[in-house]
Amino acid sequence: QSINHCCRPGSPDVKYTEEHIEARYSYHTATVSRCRGTYTVTPRTTRFTFRTQRSVPKLGVMLVGWGGNNGTTVTAAVLANKLGLSWRTRTGVKTANYFGSLLQASTVCLGMGPDGEVNVPFRDLLPMVHPNDIVFDGWDISSLDLGRAMERAQVLDWALQEQLRPHMEQLKPRPSIYIPEFIAANQEQRADNVLMGSKAEQVEQIRKDIRDFKKKSGVDKVIVLWTANTERMCDIVPGVNDTAATLLATIQLAMQQGAFIGGDDFKSGQTKVKSVLVDFLVSAGLKPTSIVSYNHLGNNDGRNLSAPQQFRSKEISKSNVVDDMVRSNNVLYAPGEKPDHCVVIKYVPNVGDSKRAMDEYTSEIMMGGTNTIVMHNTCEDSLLASPIILDLVILTELCQRITFCTEEDPHFQTFHSVLSVLSYLCKAPLVPEGAPVINSFFRQRTCIENLMRACLGLPPQNHMQLEHEMQ
Ligand code: NAI
Ligand code: DG6
């Protein structure tokens, strides 16, 4: 086991049993009412008990689109870390790492120690799966083994690929369900690994694949994650997804089975910056009036997105990200007012996986002034997306081991099937009905951090630093 779970709170509110970490936690919120222009704010306290199962399962992850740039890169990165690989590039020796992973490569402040702030890796807060221990499998409509698919992706340095190839070429994607009208026509030539038969037979084969993987690999739990091509939006079908009620019914099976579903599209680069920058501008009292985002990229994702219907799906997931921040400030924005927001994506084969993103943020500042921020970002897209894939599955697995109850309802329950805590990792978060969608980067990150602290009976991180304010 690669787990290093090093945080143990010294609090009477926390109990370690053989099976669980059990923490009593006071959750403080406020409710607001308004009468004749006056707000009345009432603090509320709900007493929770959180139970986190301590034993970490052997985790299997099945990727839909395993042979793509993300699928091959994340599999290769985990292998390289597990094998402790290093390789030479023209700028020196590089060593495998998990940079870009919230859980593996970022830290949280536990509190003050004798020498000041004590920061620990996020992964050490609670017992969780280490990426090195994940077993991968999956499906792809392209039959290339993962060694050749990694080469096709052109993401990793050649010297690393040479070391990984003997391992990667053993891995072969399972045939998948291919409905051509959902992805761009330009993908047809790689679709040589597809399931035949009726839709019901194909679904049954997918279920068999999951059981087969579980049995052969000996994993305790399987998480399925979509990293296949961006699909066009679904048609509105009466009785299936035409009203709020029918739409909700399509996720009922997940609720019945206690399975989680997350949001859409990995929030990896340009959109992540947007969820920071607009938060900064609006929180600082500056008024973004226009946001224009250009991208060009030359990988297969870009090729697929060169078709209008697939681009439209991506445009939607990239565009909604500022809504909550804009809506939160009624000093700057009238009801319904929004900044102009334009997203452009172009396919330029020559740049491969090295995506270029150019953004222009124009804001109104004091006394009619204008502030324009322009940004140019170049990066290997899949090296940003792969750590997010790892965080998504590890966080989801952890959430399956957490249950909680309140004083009013002492029956332990799991998180809602729509797992909104994954919002940080998704361009288009999904939340339970009636819950607010949060896109702001720091609020999303703080939510995960404080939730884990609650599982240890620790107060939320409040950054007040009152202990340093006293004479
Ligand atoms: P990719 O095009 O390299 O990989 C997608 C893979 O899915 C391909 O190998 C394709 O053959 C396969 N595929 C298509 N339909 C399938 C089906 N029905 N069943 C099984 N496999 C199927 O794309 P990439 O770069 O790996 O991205 C994957 C997804 O993640 C895309 O939706 C992309 O928009 C999204 N994304 C990618 C990021 C990146 O950095 N590469 C960042 C954020 C999101
Ligand atoms: C061009 O925008 C292609 C997309 O697939 C993105 O590269 C990907 O969704 C990442 O988007 P972002 O906005 O997080 O950089």
Side-chain angles (χ1 to χ4, degrees), residues 79 99 109 181 191 226 263 277 305 307 354-355 376 387 431:
L79 260 170
F99 285 5
C109 176
E181 73 203 56
W226 180 274
L277 206 77
L305 294 172
S354 176
K355 193 179 86 170
H376 186 152
V431 299

Side-chain angles (χ1 to χ4, degrees), residues 268-271 295 297 301 305 314 318 345 355 381 427:
S268 54
Q270 185 175 50
T271 310
N295 312 237
L297 73 170
D301 180 28
L305 294 172
K314 184 66 84 174
K318 278 170 95 93
I345 303 177
K355 193 179 86 170
D381 217 12
K427 285 200 196 52

Side-chain angles (χ1 to χ4, degrees), residues 63-72 139-142 152-153 174-179 183 187 190-191 226-231 265-269 297 299-302 304-305 314 353 355 380-386 427:
L63 299 174
V64 188
W66 196 20
N69 284 25
N70 287 347
T72 53
W139 302 266
D140 205 293
I141 55 171
S142 157
R152 174 178 60 186
R174 295 168 191 262
S176 191
I177 299 176
Y178 174 49
I179 306 175
I183 58 176
Q187 299 296 307
R190 69 195 273 153
W226 180 274
T227 182
N229 289 0
T230 300
E231 296 188 326
D265 212 349
F266 311 122
K267 186 162 83 166
S268 54
L297 73 170
N299 58 16
N300 189 55
D301 180 28
N304 181 58
L305 294 172
K314 184 66 84 174
D353 199 65
K355 193 179 86 170
E380 294 93 350
D381 217 12
S382 305
L383 296 178
L384 285 184
S386 294
K427 285 200 196 52

